[in-house]
Amino acid sequence: MAANFSKIDNVLNKKFDKKKVKIRGWVYRKRTLKDKIFLVIRDSSDIIQVLASKGSKAWKDAQKITIESSLELEGKLREDKRAPTGFEINATKINIVGLAEDFPIARDTSPEFLMDVRHLAIRSRKLSAVFRIRSKIFYLLHRYMHEHGFYEMDPPMLSSAGSEGGAEMFKLKYFDTKTAVLNQSWQFYAEAFANVLEKVYCIAPSFRAEKSKTARHVTEYWHFEVEAAWMKMNDMMKLAEDIISYVCLNIVKENKKDLDILGKDPKELLNIKAPFPRITYKEAAKKLKIKYGNDFGIKEERALMKAYKKPLFITHYPSSLMHFYKKRDPKNPKVCLNFNMISPFVGDEIIDGSERESDLNKIIEILKKEGKDPKQVDWYLDSRRYGAVPHSGFGLGIARLIMWICGLDHIRDTIPFPRTVNRISP
Ligand code: 4AD
Ligand code: MG
């Protein structure tokens, strides 16, 4: 067969009615009747039904072809409301490119098995839609940041120490005598860069050696982190809500069909417009009847979000719960100038951000109070020693954003090859 294959979505959009079309892809479904074989073919863009009738040139190959075989085919297109995407190709010619062995997923679809054969499970229509959206979200984040004067800067993956606490780091032997840890967050490096390029961001992996077996924790995730000189807490919150609104709006514009496949109502995402509601930790704790000073977990965040249709900012957490780098509120040092953004419907913390403490003496005081040796973060403190400026930043867990946008109830479905406590393969 000569070239000039059309992508399936192009065939569907152009509605080349009664015209000859050529496509190539993989067999997603097969149903054999006495004198008809129905195939559903998938490519990267969509699926389409194909009919091979007894007596046609395509019949023999249609009989032979198996689920997940690859093929090229030619046929006539016609509208058919009963077909899964509204059209059917009446095949005149089929060329089997790779005849597939018996595809294992047809027999066993338990969640554990699907993770064992993740490299095959990613072929599903649902996951294809998720990954098209995932790809678009990465692109939209880059596009937004470049259009708003941010520089992309990359963090190192190997360091001698992490920024988010000792227990959650993956350690590895670094040559003969040293130990290295895998990047937990780009933040310390970003803060150094805020004094150089002023507005910076990265999209990079973060690693967390967390044993949490929840629907929202993985040990490796892609982290979108932003840091900017001169910006105060409120500026950073406005930026965060603007980015999230931008992503939601453009996913509806550009990936409507994928949302349909996932059964996600686009109206829900079109409603995501700034400003987002804001409450303080104190108000949230009161609503949830939680003792002031206790941290929120999944249960609390999910319960809280029942009342909201937009992402919610929770601000001003007790300083006792917060890392030393978060700025204490000058009006009330018992709370921080920090914010978490919680996703609606799902109810997960998707963003964690704050204004940073830029005063060297205050940071050292906090570190000492916590019994930490300031020498351990000495290089980091140089950003305060040499030309400190007010600055703020945040980190967004991209997988959790995808979970909400796609309406999924487990983080593993948002990640091509998820890494969890129990799984590092395939
Ligand atoms: O809340 P975290 O730990 O904050 C930081 O790392 C800051 N240094 C970010 C910054 O200010 N630059 O992580 C930020 C976000 C969380 O809100 C969450 O969305 C996501 O990263 N995240 C995880 N996602 C999946 N699996 C995990 N184990 C995650 N841990 C955090
Ligand atoms: Mg957090």
Side-chain angles (χ1 to χ4, degrees):
M1 247 179 242
N4 301 329
F5 293 98
S6 300
K7 279 273 166 274
I8 292 173
D9 64 344
N10 207 18
V11 169
L12 295 169
N13 291 339
K14 287 218 178 117
K15 309 189 181 354
F16 312 106
D17 201 20
K18 299 192 184 71
K19 287 229 178 88
K20 226 178 172 186
V21 292
K22 268 197 235 173
I23 60 161
R24 58 184 168 189
W26 291 261
V27 178
Y28 191 52
R29 300 264 181 272
K30 178 176 179 180
R31 193 157 57 94
T32 307
L33 308 176
K34 213 168 76 196
D35 53 355
K36 280 180 186 160
I37 293 173
F38 289 101
L39 302 173
V40 175
I41 307 301
R42 63 167 181 87
D43 70 8
S44 57
S45 67
D46 211 330
I47 59 169
I48 193 165
Q49 180 165 299
V50 169
L51 165 70
S53 307
K54 200 171 183 176
S56 75
K57 268 196 191 156
W59 178 252
K60 242 188 164 167
D61 287 305
Q63 274 185 310
K64 203 161 88 184
I65 208 159
T66 48
I67 296 285
E68 288 305 324
S69 293
S70 49
L71 81 170
E72 300 170 333
L73 74 86
E74 233 175 74
K76 242 186 178 176
L77 186 75
R78 66 179 188 87
E79 211 164 341
D80 186 336
K81 293 252 150 54
R82 294 162 303 176
T85 44
F87 282 85
E88 182 180 84
I89 299 174
N90 195 340
T92 48
K93 206 166 156 191
I94 288 179
N95 175 27
I96 300 176
V97 177
L99 187 67
E101 295 176 22
D102 200 8
F103 197 60
I105 291 179
R107 298 185 302 273
D108 182 355
T109 55
S110 67
E112 263 319 290
F113 176 73
L114 288 178
M115 292 313 293
D116 289 342
V117 292
R118 183 69 171 178
H119 52 292
L120 298 176
I122 52 173
R123 298 182 180 206
S124 82
R125 191 162 189 234
K126 173 182 158 187
L127 287 179
S128 304
V130 172
F131 295 137
R132 278 189 294 267
I133 291 176
R134 182 179 167 101
S135 168
K136 187 58 63 63
I137 289 177
F138 275 70
Y139 170 64
L140 290 171
L141 292 172
H142 283 298
R143 193 168 85 185
Y144 180 98
M145 297 312 274
H146 282 266
E147 282 174 1
H148 288 79
F150 280 81
Y151 292 97
E152 180 183 5
M153 207 38 60
D154 39 302
M157 287 297 115
L158 294 169
S159 294
S160 58
S163 63
E164 304 301 308
E168 298 168 3
M169 283 182 285
F170 283 109
K171 294 198 169 76
L172 50 98
K173 196 168 163 250
Y174 196 68
F175 299 106
D176 291 337
T177 52
K178 291 203 173 101
T179 305
V181 295
L182 291 180
N183 177 49
Q184 279 181 311
S185 162
W186 170 70
Q187 190 187 318
F188 284 9
Y189 300 96
E191 288 187 60
F193 257 103
N195 285 348
V196 187
L197 300 179
E198 298 187 35
K199 290 164 76 174
V200 290
Y201 80 98
C202 82
I203 297 183
S206 279
F207 300 90
R208 303 286 167 105
E210 279 172 308
K211 289 215 174 98
S212 343
K213 287 183 200 159
T214 74
R216 67 177 187 181
H217 284 93
V218 277
T219 53
E220 174 188 303
Y221 68 96
W222 283 71
H223 203 170
F224 169 59
E225 297 190 82
V226 178
E227 198 69 35
W230 314 108
M231 283 176 81
K232 308 282 250 179
M233 152 131 144
N234 196 41
D235 305 320
M236 205 33 83
M237 289 171 72
K238 279 190 157 164
L239 177 68
E241 65 189 1
D242 199 44
I243 293 172
I244 296 295
S245 311
Y246 175 84
V247 168
C248 289
L249 174 70
N250 284 290
I251 287 296
V252 174
K253 269 196 196 158
E254 299 181 29
N255 292 68
K256 165 87 176 39
K257 200 180 67 191
D258 293 319
L259 294 173
D260 289 345
I261 292 172
L262 297 168
K264 178 83 180 183
D265 185 355
K267 272 196 235 116
E268 205 181 275
L269 297 176
L270 288 175
N271 179 43
I272 308 303
K273 284 187 196 126
F276 296 171
R278 300 172 177 203
I279 60 172
T280 61
Y281 165 92
K282 198 174 167 187
E283 288 161 343
K286 205 169 151 199
K287 273 191 189 194
L288 291 167
K289 302 194 173 77
I290 283 183
K291 201 171 141 228
Y292 186 94
N294 285 357
D295 207 354
F296 298 143
I298 298 184
K299 213 178 87 207
E300 291 76 23
E301 283 167 359
R302 297 205 163 165
L304 194 64
M305 289 318 288
K306 289 206 173 111
Y308 296 91
K309 289 197 158 70
K310 282 191 197 183
L312 172 72
F313 279 117
I314 307 178
T315 65
H316 301 89
Y317 283 63
S319 302
S320 58
L321 294 174
M322 295 291 107
H323 283 299
F324 70 93
Y325 55 69
K326 298 195 181 190
K327 189 176 174 69
R328 274 51 185 166
D329 186 348
K331 283 188 239 143
N332 172 16
K334 287 202 171 114
V335 299
C336 280
L337 293 180
N338 81 300
F339 57 94
N340 277 359
M341 188 195 286
I342 319 294
S343 57
F345 305 100
V346 189
D348 279 336
E349 175 197 316
I350 50 175
I351 287 183
D352 185 312
S354 76
E355 193 165 328
R356 317 304 189 190
E357 183 51 75
S358 51
D359 184 314
L360 180 65
N361 293 327
K362 281 196 185 139
I363 282 210
I364 290 179
E365 196 185 303
I366 296 167
L367 281 166
K368 283 190 175 154
K369 235 194 228 164
E370 289 178 0
K372 287 182 191 128
D373 181 1
K375 278 216 183 70
Q376 287 188 329
V377 287
D378 197 54
W379 75 265
Y380 169 70
L381 298 178
D382 276 354
S383 61
R384 277 60 169 181
R385 289 188 184 107
Y386 305 107
V389 292
H391 62 289
S392 306
F394 68 79
L396 159 77
I398 299 180
R400 291 191 186 173
L401 175 65
I402 299 171
M403 216 172 131
W404 159 47
I405 289 186
C406 292
L408 303 168
D409 45 39
H410 205 292
I411 195 167
R412 67 175 164 236
D413 289 336
T414 71
I415 299 172
F417 292 96
R419 269 48 184 131
T420 58
V421 185
N422 298 324
R423 190 170 289 280
I424 45 169
S425 132

